[in-house]
Structure formats: structure tokens, C-alpha cells
């Protein structure tokens, strides 16, 4: 092939044809000749021909020498884009190749996935960021998808009431997504669910997900304008739950009626309870946690991590009075072995909560406490001294008081 017709392109700089005559010459070539030229080029140079003209833009995607593209990580940077035409073309090519792993990280304005994206039926792993999902009405789901991570996704209103079938899904993570309550997910193999900063996700309906063993829910702020849910009902649909991660805002939201002492369906499988930004002085949050503890007879580990600001105007007297009552727990935590309390400030409700756990945990092996970074040396000393004075049901419980 004549090198003057198609010069080789350097790896660092992409040479372009600048005269309209030359551009017209390439645009006017017949299809068979274009494909003939592309087939004779190294793949790297063939890809760069998209700069020649609109007619050449996506011809390279049809090259047989490329082979099936099974994995792709596509990053769209923050820049001025007239359209997502090139991204659309990538998605079209993937839908034909049977892609199995796709990561699309979009730092630009939100990108609406084209209809042919939903033809990628061989997907096993999918990660999307900053996209709009509006599937066609006949879309049933991805039959082989196992891992799904969605970040800053807007779901279309056309999904309302739609059942999305994901029979092989094992892990689902939703972060800062909207309109999550517009659809239902049917997945019999789902065992790990993480929902962060998605207020309406509390109404997400999971069908036949009795295998859920690890669940994490955090709203990041108080929730308003959404119907509350019942804690007992929520736990009852997760009979295999082993690891639960929840935050204080969720606890405030999770009871639609008076907090019961005993649940109709106890969380007998729960082994690890992780609390984020738990307000020890909030009576409502405390009663929710004690309800979970009372109904989790096989619990082995409790972790509390406080990262947000404390409510300095909270009246802690009701909580302290409740914790000092003789029947506030009514349950021995026979299997509890580990307690981790991190980034906390000394307060009477916190001390009484620690005392309660020590008094009801006969097999406890270690309890570690790390005060917040703002705790001075004198306060830290008083904190440690108070905890060391508490009686312990376990004779082998070791107290670790960690440096902030």
C-alpha cells in the first residue's frame, strides 16, 4: 500500500490531514476500499483512523483482527463533549462481541445508556458511574450478571413496577442512586447488598433474596418524606443474615411503630453487627440496637464507629435512665467475643452501654476502645479508668484502650 496515502502515526502524537481536499479524498473512498486499507494496517494505526473523517470514525470497530472484546474499562474524563457518539459506538461494538466485564466511569455530564447496551447479555461484572438507565420495555434482565456496582445512577420512570431478573447476581452495590424504588429485583443468589446515600432505596423490593448474608445500609443524612419500614419485617426477609452494617440515621428510620422487645422472626444467623455514627445518647437509636441484640442470640462481634459530629443539644438523661434499669436488655450475649468501639467521646450513655455489654457477655475475649482524635490526655485517662472499674461477666475479657 502507498505510504503517502496513509502515513504511519507516532505513538505520542496523532498526525492529522488538514486540507479539505485531502479530507474529501478519504471520505469519498468506497466502502470496500476503506475496509481493504484497514485490514492491511496494524491495529493501533487502524484505531487512529477515526480522526480522518466522520465516514472513517468507527470503521475500525468492524475489523475481524480485533477479535471479541470480553473486558473493557472505559473512562470518560471531565471535559467539553458535544455528544457521547464515540462511547455509543463502543457500547454497540460490545453488544455484538458478548462482553463479560464492563467498567464505565463517567466524570462528565450524565450519560444515557443506549438501547443496545441492554443486549450485552453475556455480562458477568458491570460497574457504571454517572449514567442514566432507561431500558426498553421488553428488557427482562441480565441472565449471567454476578457483580453489579452502580454509582450516581438515575433510573428512568419507565421502570416503574418492572421486575428485573438477575438470576446469577451475587453482589449488588448502589451508591448515590436515584429512583431506586422504581423497579423490583429478582435474584435468588444475592448474598451481599450495600446501599449508600440512596434514601429511596429503602423501598427497593428484592424478590426471593433469602440468601442475603451481608447487608450494609447508610443514608449519610436524616431521611424525610419516605415511608418508614418495620425493623422486624426487614429482618424477617433476611433469614440467613450474618453480617449487618447500619448507621444511626437508618435506626431512626427503621421502626414504623413502638419498638418491640422480641421480634416474631429473631435474627438467629446474625454474627456481626457494625454500627456507624451511632448516637449513644439517642433513646430511640439505643432501643433499636438493644432490640437487635436481644434477638440475635448467636452474635459474636459488635463494632461501633463514630465519624460524624455529635448532637450537642441532645438530652441524654432519658437514655441514661433507661440503661440503668435492670431489664433494658433481658438477654445474655452468650457468644459475643469481640467489641470494638472507635472514634467515640466519653459520655454517660456510652459508659453505661459499655457496662451493659460487659455485664451480659460471659464469653467475651477482648474489648477495644479508641477515643476520638479530639480527646485530651486527661479525658482519655478518666475514660480508661471508668471502663476498667466495670465488672465483667467474662474472666478472660481483655481491655485494649487505643491511642486516638
Amino acid at each position: 500500500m502507498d505510504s503517502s496515502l496513509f502515513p504511519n502515526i507516532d505513538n505520542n502524537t496523532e498526525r492529522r490531514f488538514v486540507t479539505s481536499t485531502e479530507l474529501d479524498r478519504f471520505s469519498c473512498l468506497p466502502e470496500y476500499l476503506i475496509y481493504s486499507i484497514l485490514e492491511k494496517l496494524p491495529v493501533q494505526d487502524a484505531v487512529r483512523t477515526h480522526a480522518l473523517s466522520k465516514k472513517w470514525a468507527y470503521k475500525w470497530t468492524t475489523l475481524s483482527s480485533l477479535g471479541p472484546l470480553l473486558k473493557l474499562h472505559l473512562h470518560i474524563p471531565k471535559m467539553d463533549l458535544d455528544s457521547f457518539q464515540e462511547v455509543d459506538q463502543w457500547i454497540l461494538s460490545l453488544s455484538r462481541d458478548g462482553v463479560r466485564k464492563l467498567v464505565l466511569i463517567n466524570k462528565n455530564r450524565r450519560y444515557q445508556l443506549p438501547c443496545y447496551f441492554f443486549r450485552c447479555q453475556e455480562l458477568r461484572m458491570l460497574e457504571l458511574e454517572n449514567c442514566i438507565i432507561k431500558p426498553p420495555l421488553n428488557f427482562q434482565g441480565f441472565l449471567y450478571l454476578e457483580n453489579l456496582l452502580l454509582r450516581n445512577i438515575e433510573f428512568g420512570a419507565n421502570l416503574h413496577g418492572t421486575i428485573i431478573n438477575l438470576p446469577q447476581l451475587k453482589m449488588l452495590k448502589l451508591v448515590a442512586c436515584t429512583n431506586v424504588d422504581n423497579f423490583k429485583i429478582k435474584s435468588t443468589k444475592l448474598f451481599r447488598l450495600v446501599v449508600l446515600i440512596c434514601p429511596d432505596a429503602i423501598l427497593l423490593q428484592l424478590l426471593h433474596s433469602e440468601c442475603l448474608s451481608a447487608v450494609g445500609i447508610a443514608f449519610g443524612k436524616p431521611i424525610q418524606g419516605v415511608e418508614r419500614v418495620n425493623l422486624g419485617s426487614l429482618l424477617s426477609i433476611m433469614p440467613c443474615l450474618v453480617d449487618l452494617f447500619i448507621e444511626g440515621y437508618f435506626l431512626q428510620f427503621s421502626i414504623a411503630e413502638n419498638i418491640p422487645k422480641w421480634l416474631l422472626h429473631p435474627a438467629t444467623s446474625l454474627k456481626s453487627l457494625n454500627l456507624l455514627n451511632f448516637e449513644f445518647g439517642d433513646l430511640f437509636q439505643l432501643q433499636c440496637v438493644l432490640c437487635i441484640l436481644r434477638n440475635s442470640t448467636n452474635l459474636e462481634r459488635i463494632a461501633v464507629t463514630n465519624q460524624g459530629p455529635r448532637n450537642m443539644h441532645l438530652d441524654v438523661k432519658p437514655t441514661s435512665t433507661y440503661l440503668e434499669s435492670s431489664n433494658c436488655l433481658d438477654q445474655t450475649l452468650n457468644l459475643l467475643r469481640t467489641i470494638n468501639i472507635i472514634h467515640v467521646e466519653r459520655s454517660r450513655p456510652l459508659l453505661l452501654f459499655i457496662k451493659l455489654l460487659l455485664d451480659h457477655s460471659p464469653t467475651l475475649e477482648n474489648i477495644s476502645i479508641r477515643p476520638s482524635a479530639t480527646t485530651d490526655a486527661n479525658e482519655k485517662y478518666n475514660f480508661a479508668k471508668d471502663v476498667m472499674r466495670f465488672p465483667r461477666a467474662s474472666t478472660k475479657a481483655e481491655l485494649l484502650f487505643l491511642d486516638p
Side-chain angles (χ1 to χ4, degrees):
M1 184 175 61
D2 185 358
S3 61
S4 64
L5 179 64
F6 198 95
N8 196 26
I9 301 173
D10 184 81
N11 286 331
N12 298 319
T13 59
E14 191 172 302
R15 293 179 57 185
R16 299 180 181 274
F17 298 93
V18 294
T19 68
S20 58
T21 302
E22 289 172 318
L23 285 174
D24 289 340
R25 182 169 57 165
F26 282 104
S27 298
C28 293
L29 289 174
E31 293 283 331
Y32 78 91
L33 187 54
I34 291 176
Y35 288 120
S36 177
I37 293 172
L38 290 174
E39 290 290 348
K40 292 179 173 60
L41 287 173
V43 172
Q44 195 173 21
D45 289 343
V47 173
R48 292 191 175 105
T49 61
H50 78 278
L52 292 174
S53 71
K54 289 184 178 180
K55 189 173 182 179
W56 284 74
Y58 305 110
K59 299 297 185 184
W60 64 270
T61 62
T62 61
L63 288 175
S64 59
S65 57
L66 288 176
L69 191 59
L70 300 182
K71 298 180 181 180
L72 178 65
H73 188 132
L74 187 60
H75 182 269
I76 307 173
K78 189 174 183 179
M79 57 187 293
D80 292 330
L81 286 179
D82 294 332
S83 70
F84 289 97
Q85 186 179 6
E86 292 189 22
V87 182
D88 288 343
Q89 192 64 32
W90 272 106
I91 300 298
L92 178 60
S93 178
L94 294 174
S95 69
R96 296 166 176 168
D97 285 342
V99 62
R100 297 196 174 191
K101 179 179 180 180
L102 173 61
V103 178
L104 197 164
I105 306 299
N106 177 26
K107 300 300 181 182
N108 213 287
R109 69 183 188 276
R110 272 187 174 166
Y111 166 59
Q112 181 167 334
L113 294 166
C115 61
Y116 36 82
F117 162 78
F118 301 96
R119 301 176 194 162
C120 300
Q121 285 296 313
E122 297 297 322
L123 277 170
R124 267 66 170 178
M125 186 274 178
L126 176 62
E127 178 179 349
L128 299 174
E129 179 178 337
N130 202 22
C131 297
I132 300 173
I133 295 179
K134 291 184 178 180
L137 294 177
N138 61 349
F139 177 67
Q140 297 296 316
F142 294 108
L143 300 183
Y144 303 105
L145 191 63
E146 297 179 1
N147 295 293
L148 178 59
L149 169 55
L150 302 177
R151 186 184 299 107
N152 195 19
I153 299 297
E154 178 186 332
F155 294 95
N158 66 323
L159 275 169
H160 186 68
T162 301
I163 296 178
I164 305 298
N165 190 26
L166 303 172
Q168 301 300 322
L169 190 66
K170 297 179 176 64
M171 192 281 288
L172 172 62
K173 185 174 183 179
L174 304 172
V175 182
C177 298
T178 55
N179 298 330
V180 181
D181 56 338
N182 275 351
F183 56 93
K184 304 174 184 178
I185 292 179
K186 182 179 180 181
S187 179
T188 58
K189 296 185 178 181
L190 184 65
F191 73 87
R192 184 176 182 83
L193 172 67
V194 178
V195 179
L196 306 176
I197 326 175
C198 302
D200 53 357
I202 194 63
L203 301 178
L204 171 66
Q205 297 188 49
L206 299 173
L207 307 178
H208 309 295
S209 296
E210 291 83 3
C211 293
L212 268 175
S213 62
V215 174
I217 303 175
F219 294 143
K221 62 181 180 179
I223 303 303
Q224 297 177 347
V226 181
E227 182 183 352
R228 290 178 180 268
V229 296
N230 182 280
L231 179 62
S233 300
L234 189 64
L235 293 175
S236 69
I237 63 175
M238 299 182 287
C240 299
L241 186 62
V242 174
D243 193 344
L244 178 61
F245 176 101
I246 50 178
E247 63 165 358
Y249 295 127
F250 174 79
L251 291 172
Q252 291 176 333
F253 182 81
S254 62
I255 296 291
E257 55 192 27
N258 293 330
I259 303 172
K261 274 197 170 185
W262 305 103
L263 300 177
L264 183 61
H265 302 281
T268 53
S269 298
L270 189 62
K271 294 185 178 181
S272 179
L273 176 63
N274 302 270
L275 303 173
L276 174 65
N277 296 335
F278 173 57
E279 184 63 70
F280 290 95
D282 187 306
L283 180 59
F284 190 84
Q285 291 189 35
L286 175 70
Q287 289 177 329
C288 286
V289 169
L290 293 180
C291 175
I292 295 174
L293 296 181
R294 191 181 297 114
N295 289 271
S296 305
T297 54
N298 293 306
L299 194 65
E300 298 178 0
R301 177 180 177 271
I302 296 175
V304 183
T305 303
N306 280 2
Q307 297 174 333
R310 288 181 59 193
N311 185 353
M312 303 306 294
H313 304 289
L314 188 65
D315 182 6
V316 300
K317 290 182 180 178
T319 305
S320 299
T321 301
Y322 185 82
L323 284 167
E324 288 175 320
S325 62
S326 58
N327 61 347
C328 69
L329 185 52
D330 286 348
Q331 178 67 46
T332 301
L333 306 175
N334 289 311
L335 298 182
L336 186 62
R337 291 180 173 83
T338 304
I339 301 173
N340 296 318
I341 302 178
I342 304 172
H343 301 311
V344 291
E345 296 182 11
R346 178 172 171 261
S347 67
R348 182 163 181 77
L350 170 59
L351 292 171
L352 290 172
F353 183 76
I354 294 173
K355 183 177 184 294
L356 184 70
L357 293 180
L358 291 174
D359 192 44
H360 287 75
S361 308
T363 62
L364 188 67
E365 296 176 358
N366 60 76
I367 173 172
S368 62
I369 301 173
R370 186 190 298 274
S372 66
T374 58
T375 305
D376 58 36
N378 186 57
E379 183 72 2
K380 178 183 175 183
Y381 170 74
N382 290 330
F383 196 169
K385 184 173 63 174
D386 288 337
V387 175
M388 286 188 290
R389 287 176 175 173
F390 295 149
R392 306 172 198 176
S394 172
T395 57
K396 57 181 180 180
E398 179 183 11
L399 171 64
L400 299 175
F401 209 84
L402 305 175
D403 196 338

